Amino acid sequence: MTVTGMVVGWRLTGDEWDRVTALSERWGPERLVEVIARRWDPARPPQSARYLLRIWDDLPTGTPAEALKGNVVPLRREPAWKPFRNPVKTSASAYQNGF
């Protein structure tokens, strides 16, 4: 967070540190910083990391892996993929070639 210019005081209780550690293990530090950056107001920065814990409470309760499960299949290009070309009109426009 310091690299991005977001500096707060980290005087937390043991339980609060446990929450920070658990959140970091679940979501990763990059994701936690990203969430904070969206709400960060440089004109009125928070003084304590306790404020960050309240923001991180808005993250879904499930793990990121659980969030990806469902009926959505990620699109992957086949290794031998080639764009469609009209075999009859080789000089056809991109639209006519299937784009």
Side-chain angles (χ1 to χ4, degrees):
M1 289 182 49
T2 304
V3 172
T4 63
M6 299 184 292
V7 179
V8 296
W10 288 92
R11 289 183 297 270
L12 302 174
T13 66
D15 290 340
E16 290 168 330
W17 274 115
D18 291 342
R19 284 177 57 202
V20 171
T21 302
L23 286 164
S24 182
E25 288 173 356
R26 179 185 296 163
W27 296 100
E30 296 83 13
R31 175 74 171 131
L32 295 179
V33 171
E34 173 190 326
V35 169
I36 295 301
R38 279 191 253 136
R39 296 194 192 178
W40 189 267
D41 181 2
R44 294 188 52 204
Q47 301 299 308
S48 171
R50 286 187 180 97
Y51 177 75
L52 308 182
L53 286 170
R54 283 188 256 146
I55 292 173
W56 290 329
D57 283 340
D58 291 342
L59 287 167
T61 56
T63 62
E66 290 173 355
L68 295 176
K69 290 181 183 174
N71 65 352
V72 178
V73 178
L75 297 176
R76 292 191 181 95
R77 183 178 287 179
E78 294 297 320
W81 181 86
K82 293 182 182 177
F84 173 79
R85 296 286 182 235
N86 188 333
V88 178
K89 289 179 117 182
T90 56
S91 63
S93 72
Y95 178 77
Q96 292 170 329
N97 278 325
F99 293 99

